[in-house]
């Protein structure tokens, strides 16, 4: 596996934007109209979006035949994960990689490990960048193939059939890489044996932007809450395309716990229950404004002693402590 010099740079224009960060949010939603031959897999590959994030953001649209002139939401609005905003951050729950650089953030879809072969939660670093890497299947993968009486070569040389794609970043977490793929379908899904798959069109540029020793934080945050000015925003991700009752119940508990913690560190929040219900009912990964922070004037003397969580009876806003 040859290591490339860090002076080399790609010439192609990046297809993934670098977003300005506004407090805890970045990016923006946009829409497009499909042509007859479009599919979500093709749109994702062209726009650097994951298959599942497109499916969740566009309920009721056939991902394999959306039809001519169908309006499609492109989910590129993000509440940032609660982590150190440096280097690479991969949030398994949303199948996305965040790259923090120069006070901005770029967001890529990634394929992650399956339930049987999960990606590790880790705080690692980039140790090497690789061009045209060869793949040596580990013993666990070879055992799976042997159990199915299928042959698997000991080594996959560089080329179009190589599962690592055209480029890769080797991580300090032993056995794990961020790499391209020979199967474009699967980016933005649970498909790998634990590594992180990117579109070749993304990784072939990304490897030259990332320096050696860049931090790589891998987290699992299906619920993200953040501020933009005085606005409170919530983003919820269901684990799969289908949304069963067990997943709903779990996400309700997580949202309740995180909102309570969030409220304790930010007094004076007014939260709209209906907005939370919509975010949880859809769990589509699209951020929604769920409330705001109200500035109280110390000299005001109300007729009775209201706590920060109490609201007048006619107010459409409910206090956080009454939500769950």
């Amino acid at each position: 596996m040859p290591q490339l010099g860090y002076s080399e740079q790609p010439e192609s224009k990046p297809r993934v934007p670098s977003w300005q960060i506004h407090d805890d949010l970045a990016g923006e939603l946009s829409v497009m109209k499909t042509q007859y031959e479009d599919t979500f897999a093709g749109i994702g590959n062209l726009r650097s979006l994951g298959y599942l994030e497109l499916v969740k953001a566009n309920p009721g649209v056939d991902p394999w035949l959306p039809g001519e002139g169908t309006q499609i939401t492109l989910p590129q609005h993000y509440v940032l994960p609660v982590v150190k905003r440096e280097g690479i951050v991969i949030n398994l729950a949303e199948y996305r990689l965040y790259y923090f650089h120069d006070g901005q953030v770029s967001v890529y879809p990634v394929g992650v490990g399956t339930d049987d072969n999960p990606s590790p939660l880790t705080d690692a670093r980039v140790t090497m960048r690789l061009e045209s890497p060869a793949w040596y299947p580990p013993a666990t993968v070879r055992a799976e193939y042997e159990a199915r009486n299928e042959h698997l070569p000991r080594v996959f040389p560089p080329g179009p059939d190589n599962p690592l794609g055209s480029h890769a970043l080797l991580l300090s977490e032993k056995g794990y890489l961020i790499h391209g793929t020979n199967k474009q379908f699967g980016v933005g899904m649970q498909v790998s044996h634990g590594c992180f798959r990117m579109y070749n069109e993304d990784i072939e540029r990304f490897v030259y932007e990332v320096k050696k020793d860049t931090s790589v934080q891998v987290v699992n945050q299906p619920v993200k809450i953040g501020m933009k000015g005085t606005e409170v925003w919530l983003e919820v991700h269901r684990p799969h395309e289908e949304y069963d009752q067990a997943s709903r119940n779990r996400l309700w508990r997580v949202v309740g716990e995180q909102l309570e913690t969030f409220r304790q560190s930010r007094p004076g929040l007014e939260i709209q229950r209906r907005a939370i219900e919509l975010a949880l009912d859809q769990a589509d990964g699209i951020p929604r404004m769920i409330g705001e922070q109200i500035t109280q004037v110390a000299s005001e003397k109300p007729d009775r002693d209201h706590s920060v969580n109490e609201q007048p009876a006619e107010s459409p806003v409910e206090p956080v402590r009454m939500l769950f």
Side-chain angles (χ1 to χ4, degrees), residues 110-132:
V110 289
V112 303
T114 63
D115 291 337
D116 293 332
N117 298 281
S119 300
L121 300 176
T122 185
D123 193 349
R125 308 196 78 79
V126 172
T127 60
M128 186 182 296
R129 77 160 62 105
L130 309 168
E131 183 184 57
S132 300

Side-chain angles (χ1 to χ4, degrees), residues 93-113:
E94 54 182 319
Y95 312 117
R96 287 175 180 153
L97 180 155
Y98 294 80
Y99 177 48
F100 294 93
H101 59 97
D102 304 319
Q104 301 177 316
V105 63
S106 301
V107 187
Y108 298 86
V110 289
V112 303

Side-chain angles (χ1 to χ4, degrees), residues 22-25 225-234 259 262 266-272 288-296 317:
H22 302 285
D23 297 328
D24 299 322
L25 277 78
I225 304 172
M227 300 290 298
K228 182 180 180 182
T230 61
E231 302 168 350
V232 185
W233 289 75
L234 171 66
L259 266 177
F262 198 79
R266 296 167 179 81
L269 294 186
E270 290 187 348
I271 303 297
Q272 299 176 358
R288 288 175 170 83
M289 182 181 167
I290 61 168
E292 59 183 330
Q293 187 167 32
I294 305 301
T295 302
Q296 294 186 334
V317 177

Side-chain angles (χ1 to χ4, degrees), residues 36-141:
Y36 178 77
E37 67 274 13
D38 283 335
T39 66
F40 280 12
I43 293 170
N45 190 16
L46 180 65
R47 303 271 184 154
S48 193
L49 292 166
Y51 174 78
L52 279 182
E53 65 179 330
L54 282 169
V55 169
K56 293 176 184 179
N58 294 279
V61 179
D62 186 338
W64 296 108
L65 190 62
E68 178 77 23
T70 301
Q71 183 168 288
I72 299 296
T73 297
L74 304 179
Q76 293 178 298
H77 192 205
Y78 317 101
V79 177
L80 300 177
V82 181
V83 289
K84 294 180 294 183
R85 293 178 187 172
E86 62 181 36
I88 295 170
V89 175
I90 298 173
N91 187 4
L92 302 179
E94 54 182 319
Y95 312 117
R96 287 175 180 153
L97 180 155
Y98 294 80
Y99 177 48
F100 294 93
H101 59 97
D102 304 319
Q104 301 177 316
V105 63
S106 301
V107 187
Y108 298 86
V110 289
V112 303
T114 63
D115 291 337
D116 293 332
N117 298 281
S119 300
L121 300 176
T122 185
D123 193 349
R125 308 196 78 79
V126 172
T127 60
M128 186 182 296
R129 77 160 62 105
L130 309 168
E131 183 184 57
S132 300
W135 182 49
Y136 299 83
T140 53
V141 176

